[in-house]
Amino acid sequence: MKQIGHIYLLVVLFFLYTPIIVMMAMGFNESQLYELPFTFSFRWYDALLGNKQLLTAGMNSIIIAVITSVLATSLGTLAATALARRTFRGKSLLQLLLLPPIAIPWLITGTAMLVFFYWSGIGRGMHALLIGHVALAIPYVVLVVGTGFKTIRADLEEAAMSLGSTPIHAFFSVTLPLLYPSILGAALFAFAVSLDQFVISYFLATPGYSTLPVQIYSAIRKGFTPEINAISTLLLLGSMTVILIFARFAKPGDTSDKR
Amino acid sequence: MRSDAVLNEAVRGPSGPRKHRMLPSWVATTALLLPTYAWLTLAVLLPLLTMFVFSFMSATPMGKAPITFTLKHYRAFIDQPYLLNIGWTSLVIGFWTTLLCAIFGFLAAVALARATVGRMRETLLILILLPFWTNGLVRVFSWTMVLRENGFLDNVLHMVSADTGSISFLYTRYAIVLGLVHGYLPYMILTCYIALVTIDDAIIEAAASLGARWWTILFRILIPMAAPGLISGAVLTFVPVIGSFMEPRILGGKVGVTMGTVIEDQFTQAFNWPLGAALSFTLLAVVLAIFATFSGVLRRGAAA
């Protein structure tokens, strides 16, 4: 029975990874029309170096992801502190309000942002993308940091305060160091969320300012070349690395207390 | 020593030990929460509200045409019957994707929970979830490499038997469902796995020692006990799938017309924002109805 289980899991992994590996391999294939037999070549990576549009979009993606990560982590950590450590009325409503960015299909959120940003004069472009990305990343940060709060004891802070520390000082000197792995994990997660975000970006990008996924989408629709495989490979490897580092920090499913 | 005392006095005031200037606690709470919720209001709540208003406008308020308020966009399903077909297509694609994810995902979760332990289980879980957290667009694009004519699938087939034709099924609904299953399977495995690991081994051992066959264990113990995980996985698959547009666009080609692509078109090609807004809100109503129906199960799932 166990063997069957193992074989089945291998089949699932095969299903999940085959298309990705095929796509990556085709980026190293000489033929423009993805023709086989496979001839190894860096041709498409070379071509990528000359593709200003994709490179600029890639740079934009990274910049947006870094700013999103910093903003979402700062705001989200503050909110998580209040939600985890303070009692007030309407808390469950506020927790519910974190769900729309995650639960409502991005197509709806994205088109709503487009309409509102146009109507209010905020417009599209980098700042609009940032507003959208940070909003999408905040709920994840609150979730990850909130989980972190559950593993550290509130009475450590109280002990510090009863010994004469101010609440703010207690937060920075006691809570924050204990919380630091969760916060770092949340920051990485926010970075990945922003880096991979396509739908929202697609509606808020302008011809002059777009991100990598938006450029990849329009390239796919125009008829694709192995250059897309090359840049997609880089994007996938980038976000996989970030997520693996996140998994090391935040240990999904790890319940060991840091007491 | 002396200067220390002076300093202390300067900082703490003359009244001895430091007294916190106690702000009322709601001020601090508000200060902590305000940035996040102001941001979410600006980026999500106000946009949804604006779009709701837009959905009643007679035309996109960009030209000179006078704007009146109308319900006609919500009547689109009656006035333009082809939209009903498209809506139905979306639901069918959502149904098949969810069903396939549930079957294969649940079995994978059972295999994870019952046939693996420790390090190996952790590694497998990360490997399964890793694609889910990478770019969905790129994963969809990857399937075109496999499914296209003379693509990976055809080549594998030709290795087995050289003279068969192409079995490429890119640009069909099967391709759309396949791409979507690929996208959401990891999530289904995760929710089912979380529900399954809480089941006590002793129950299954007891059933087995009393002579229960594997299918009895599966249908009488595992599925009923892991139902919350299965249901939340199904909801969280079905909802994004009926709102998807890039998967049908890329993998479906001409047959890939769904609610998602129609809404996308209203905003990027046809420039009929009010109609797009009304369709978006119809979709949102469906989504909210689904969440409301399963809110009890979903909340229990979140608490676990």
Side-chain angles (χ1 to χ4, degrees):
Chain A
M1 214 56 200
K2 273 205 166 151
Q3 268 74 26
I4 300 176
H6 292 166
I7 293 168
Y8 180 67
L9 286 173
L10 277 183
V11 173
V12 169
L13 285 181
F14 180 79
F15 169 70
L16 289 177
Y17 282 91
T18 303
I20 296 173
I21 292 166
V22 170
M23 185 279 289
M24 287 180 171
M26 283 305 175
F28 292 103
N29 187 15
E30 175 80 35
S31 161
Q32 167 138 30
L33 300 167
Y34 302 104
E35 265 158 10
L36 296 173
F38 187 85
T39 324
F40 187 85
S41 137
F42 277 119
R43 179 180 167 195
W44 303 108
Y45 284 83
D46 277 339
L48 203 58
L49 287 177
N51 191 328
K52 268 266 159 52
Q53 208 173 12
L54 279 182
L55 289 184
T56 315
M59 209 56 224
N60 290 346
S61 276
I62 292 173
I63 293 170
I64 291 257
V66 169
I67 303 177
T68 297
S69 172
V70 171
L71 283 176
T73 309
S74 323
L75 301 190
T77 302
L78 294 182
T81 309
L83 291 171
R85 284 288 188 261
R86 292 175 169 271
T87 44
F88 52 89
R89 285 204 299 167
K91 191 194 261 190
S92 47
L93 175 71
L94 288 187
Q95 277 165 333
L96 201 67
L97 279 178
L98 289 170
L99 293 180
I102 305 181
I104 296 177
W106 287 330
L107 172 70
I108 299 175
T109 328
T111 51
M113 284 180 191
L114 171 63
V115 169
F116 174 68
F117 291 174
Y118 164 79
W119 171 81
S120 65
I122 292 174
R124 298 184 295 167
M126 183 180 179
H127 58 290
L129 276 160
L130 267 178
I131 295 174
H133 281 211
V134 171
L136 289 193
I138 281 178
Y140 293 108
V141 172
V142 176
L143 220 66
V144 173
V145 176
T147 312
F149 263 113
K150 283 184 191 148
T151 65
I152 59 173
R153 297 201 313 195
D155 49 6
L156 290 178
E157 262 167 83
E158 282 154 22
M161 282 190 274
S162 74
L163 292 171
S165 165
T166 63
I168 291 174
H169 183 253
F171 179 78
F172 278 102
S173 60
V174 178
T175 315
L176 208 56
L178 287 170
L179 212 54
Y180 152 82
S182 308
I183 294 177
L184 206 59
L188 285 169
F189 207 83
F191 181 87
V193 165
S194 166
L195 190 67
D196 292 330
Q197 176 51 237
F198 158 67
V199 178
I200 301 272
S201 313
Y202 174 59
F203 290 108
L204 299 180
T206 62
Y209 187 91
S210 68
T211 62
L212 200 46
V214 177
Q215 284 295 324
I216 293 177
Y217 184 66
S218 65
I220 291 173
R221 295 191 64 185
K222 269 185 232 145
F224 30 86
T225 69
E227 240 179 293
I228 306 175
N229 295 54
I231 192 76
S232 298
T233 302
L234 295 178
L235 182 60
L236 274 195
L237 292 179
S239 49
M240 281 183 174
T241 312
V242 174
I243 288 297
L244 283 177
I245 301 173
F246 164 79
R248 280 213 72 80
F249 270 105
K251 288 250 168 173
D254 182 9
T255 47
S256 69
D257 271 22
K258 301 178 187 74
R259 292 190 178 182
Chain B
M1 201 64 206
R2 173 98 190 98
S3 67
D4 231 79
V6 172
L7 196 69
N8 273 346
E9 205 146 295
V11 173
R12 290 178 176 171
S15 57
R18 161 164 45 182
K19 278 197 190 121
H20 302 308
R21 253 186 308 131
M22 287 305 270
L23 287 167
S25 117
W26 65 267
V27 174
T29 308
T30 310
L32 289 171
L33 291 169
L34 193 65
T36 284
Y37 286 93
W39 198 292
L40 289 180
T41 305
L42 177 75
V44 180
L45 302 180
L46 285 178
L48 287 174
L49 205 67
T50 314
M51 192 157 76
F52 190 59
V53 175
F54 261 65
S55 70
F56 295 104
M57 289 182 176
S58 56
T60 313
M62 279 178 188
K64 294 275 190 299
I67 301 297
T68 52
F69 286 86
T70 163
L71 280 171
K72 74 171 179 190
H73 302 298
Y74 284 96
R75 277 210 341 254
F77 282 101
I78 301 162
D79 297 343
Q80 289 147 291
Y82 75 95
L83 280 175
L84 272 183
N85 282 328
I86 292 169
W88 180 246
T89 307
S90 285
L91 292 179
V92 168
I93 289 176
F95 171 78
W96 281 108
T97 306
T98 308
L99 184 69
L100 292 171
C101 278
I103 294 170
F104 293 113
F106 191 83
L107 291 177
V110 171
L112 257 183
R114 309 228 50 91
T116 66
V117 282
R119 220 10 185 311
M120 181 189 178
R121 176 188 286 190
E122 217 172 275
T123 312
L124 280 171
L125 202 56
I126 289 177
L127 277 178
I128 287 169
L129 288 176
L130 195 55
F132 185 71
W133 286 114
T134 60
N135 197 283
L137 174 68
V138 168
R139 278 182 294 142
V140 171
F141 169 63
S142 300
W143 276 106
T144 65
M145 297 285 112
V146 174
L147 299 180
R148 62 202 291 273
E149 221 167 295
N150 213 6
F152 181 73
L153 199 62
D154 275 359
N155 273 287
V156 171
L157 185 74
H158 289 162
M159 264 184 249
V160 181
S161 67
D163 49 333
T164 41
S166 167
I167 54 161
S168 154
F169 59 98
L170 188 59
Y171 308 131
T172 64
R173 285 200 194 149
Y174 301 108
I176 302 174
V177 171
L178 185 66
L180 287 166
V181 169
H182 185 249
Y184 294 98
L185 185 64
Y187 201 72
M188 184 70 87
I189 295 176
L190 180 68
T191 57
C192 291
Y193 168 78
I194 291 172
L196 281 167
V197 283
T198 59
I199 297 176
D200 193 346
D201 280 349
I203 299 173
I204 292 152
E205 279 156 25
S209 73
L210 291 172
R213 300 298 181 86
W214 67 266
W215 60 83
T216 316
I217 294 178
L218 181 67
F219 286 103
R220 301 290 291 276
I221 299 176
L222 294 179
I223 292 181
M225 288 189 79
L230 204 53
I231 292 171
S232 38
V235 168
L236 296 174
T237 301
F238 189 79
V239 164
V241 164
I242 56 172
S244 62
F245 69 92
M246 68 184 181
E247 293 90 345
R249 190 73 87 186
I250 295 171
L251 296 173
K254 280 199 197 88
V255 304
V257 182
T258 62
M259 280 312 279
T261 63
V262 171
I263 293 173
E264 181 208 356
D265 275 342
Q266 302 314 313
F267 286 96
T268 58
Q269 312 286 327
F271 234 62
N272 190 346
W273 287 13
L275 177 61
L279 293 176
S280 269
F281 258 90
T282 313
L283 191 62
L284 185 61
V286 174
V287 167
L288 292 180
I290 293 170
F291 279 130
T293 310
F294 296 104
S295 67
V297 180
L298 291 175
R299 206 169 301 144
R300 248 178 293 148

